[in-house]
Amino acid sequence: MTRPTDARAGRRHELLKALSELRCDAALVAHLPNVRYLTGFTGSNGILFLSPGSAILFTDPRYDLQAHEECDCRVRIVRGSTWEGVWKHVAGRCRRLAMEADRVSHEVWQETARRLGRKAKLAASRGLVEKLRRVKSTEEADAIRASARLCAEAFLETARQLRPEMSERDAAAELDYRMRRLGAEGPAFETIVAAGARAALPHARPGDAKLGRGPVLIDMGANVSGWMSDMTRMVHLGPPSRGFLRLFRAVRRAQEAALAEVRAGVPARKVDAAARRVLKAEGLAGYFTHSTGHGVGLEIHEAPRLGAKSDDVLEAGMVVTVEPGVYLAGTAGVRIEDTVLVTESGAEILTPVGKDLLVLPS
Ligand code: ZN
Ligand code: ZN
């Protein structure tokens, strides 16, 4: 088989190769980002059956038109339970069927095994499609670059308008609105706007609290045609204190040190170690409580992982975040995050926004 030129058909071709290595003659894919990757389908209910001879997306009548428009494979509309339609299709059709063991419920797993029949075997696959998704093609990297550019633009249009009397919720809503106006499907995740001591909560949800005077942490990303981006910047309303500047500069240096490590062939944990080394020298290592980064693509968190215990090795074409942070409970938090493309010689930063502390009048 030669590799098809269409992106989705090419991805299915790669998955079939991986399946034959597992001695499987077919696969069921139910995790929606994987389904989207392999077929183009963006609905909320779809299961792909893939074998060397056929690719069929099973979905329900709500998606009749949409699925036929989006998918480059066969579409089967099932009334009632979609899984029921899938089970009827696979019964007696495969000898060894792979299914995403980490993505379906125990009930679905058991019933699929039963309906396959005695002579067939259900094989647990884990991360098969996710592994293909780790390295982005040129087109995929371009799509993430566009997403990151849109995210940056929305930030730049909004950040200068932040004022102490605005609430975190209003600021987050403004950022989301800008992203949608610029063409995003929506935010890649719930936008974080955390003011003052609340910035010390790495996953703070924007609330009614006013921004007030002091630091504001903004962590945002866009979803553009399914492709995510992820970026964190610090804004300061009114003049920053010396203590805060010290924190900010330490994180900034940690992020630069980590970025300097990024290139193809480097173990991901070395990137994490570089950030930690800088913070340790500042006596801040204990306040850096998460890993340095994660892969970004059709999901906001995907492989590889840039943490102290990661076994991943960076490859050209991976898109990852680099986001060290320090969190002093009750006082302040600082995080600086870019989405970057791993290349043979280094990191191409995809989030084009300056990293100086943006100081606004209070
Ligand atoms: Zn982020
Ligand atoms: Zn992130």
Side-chain angles (χ1 to χ4, degrees):
M1 271 193 286
T2 50
R3 197 180 193 283
T5 48
D6 175 79
R8 292 165 292 180
R11 294 165 187 159
R12 294 198 296 269
H13 177 81
E14 292 302 318
L15 179 58
L16 285 169
K17 277 203 318 209
L19 285 174
S20 75
E21 279 163 28
L22 290 174
R23 293 177 294 108
C24 290
D25 54 356
L28 287 175
V29 179
H31 183 50
L32 287 170
N34 290 344
V35 172
R36 185 170 187 166
Y37 181 72
L38 295 166
T39 67
F41 179 62
T42 66
S44 65
N45 173 36
I47 302 158
L48 173 68
F49 172 81
L50 184 67
S51 73
S54 77
I56 308 172
L57 178 90
F58 291 81
T59 184
D60 64 74
R62 286 175 300 163
Y63 293 115
D64 195 343
L65 265 175
Q66 180 183 330
H68 282 95
E69 255 173 42
E70 291 178 338
C71 298
D72 67 333
C73 61
R74 278 172 63 199
V75 172
R76 177 118 13 124
I77 304 298
V78 183
R79 285 176 200 286
S81 154
T82 311
W83 276 108
E84 192 59 45
V86 170
W87 290 326
K88 279 188 185 136
H89 181 76
V90 295
R93 200 171 245 112
C94 358
R95 276 175 295 109
R96 199 171 143 88
L97 174 72
M99 189 159 74
E100 302 163 300
D102 51 342
R103 301 292 193 182
V104 297
S105 69
H106 182 66
E107 286 73 21
V108 163
W109 183 269
Q110 296 287 77
E111 189 60 12
T112 308
R114 196 178 72 78
R115 300 287 283 274
L116 269 180
R118 282 233 184 95
K119 285 182 191 149
K121 182 152 169 43
L122 185 60
S125 67
R126 280 189 183 78
L128 222 49
V129 184
E130 288 83 346
K131 200 170 167 197
L132 298 179
R133 284 171 44 199
R134 294 187 322 167
V135 172
K136 275 70 183 176
S137 67
T138 309
E139 292 74 26
E140 291 164 9
D142 284 347
I144 299 172
R145 191 180 285 112
S147 173
R149 199 176 298 138
L150 187 148
C151 166
E153 211 174 314
F155 172 83
L156 291 169
E157 282 182 9
T158 312
R160 292 200 167 275
Q161 292 160 24
L162 299 182
R163 293 294 175 266
E165 59 279 9
M166 277 176 93
S167 69
E168 293 174 344
R169 197 196 309 280
D170 284 346
E174 194 63 37
L175 291 162
D176 292 355
Y177 169 76
R178 281 287 148 206
M179 287 195 277
R180 286 185 200 278
R181 283 296 300 264
L182 290 166
E185 280 182 21
F189 52 91
E190 197 180 340
T191 299
I192 297 173
V193 176
R198 287 173 45 76
L201 309 167
H203 288 104
R205 294 186 76 176
D208 292 325
K210 303 278 183 235
L211 299 182
R213 291 171 64 122
V216 181
L217 181 153
I218 297 176
D219 187 351
M220 62 187 289
N223 169 353
V224 178
S225 308
W227 294 95
M228 311 298 177
S229 48
D230 194 359
M231 177 183 91
T232 307
R233 289 293 183 270
M234 298 299 305
V235 176
H236 205 285
L237 296 171
S241 69
R242 263 200 220 170
F244 179 79
L245 279 178
R246 189 189 146 241
L247 272 190
F248 179 83
R249 287 179 186 139
V251 174
R252 173 107 192 242
R253 277 203 304 280
Q255 206 236 3
E256 275 161 12
L259 282 172
E261 288 292 328
V262 173
R263 77 184 161 280
V266 170
R269 62 173 179 275
K270 274 191 80 175
V271 180
D272 182 82
R276 253 166 246 286
R277 208 157 38 235
V278 172
L279 294 174
K280 193 172 173 201
E282 298 282 339
L284 294 168
Y287 304 100
F288 178 21
T289 47
H290 53 75
S291 54
T292 295
H294 52 85
V296 176
L298 288 172
E299 288 177 278
I300 188 63
H301 291 119
E302 54 180 60
R305 224 173 63 81
L306 281 69
K309 290 182 184 146
S310 173
D311 292 324
D312 294 314
V313 175
L314 297 181
E315 291 175 50
M318 284 179 170
V319 174
V320 299
T321 67
V322 176
E323 52 175 307
V326 291
Y327 310 96
L328 306 183
T331 310
V334 174
R335 178 163 69 249
I336 301 175
E337 173 182 29
D338 286 305
T339 299
V340 308
L341 172 66
V342 180
T343 70
E344 292 296 342
S345 58
E348 179 197 335
I349 293 181
L350 302 181
T351 29
V353 176
K355 277 177 277 197
D356 288 341
L357 183 63
L358 179 59
V359 179
L360 298 173
S362 61

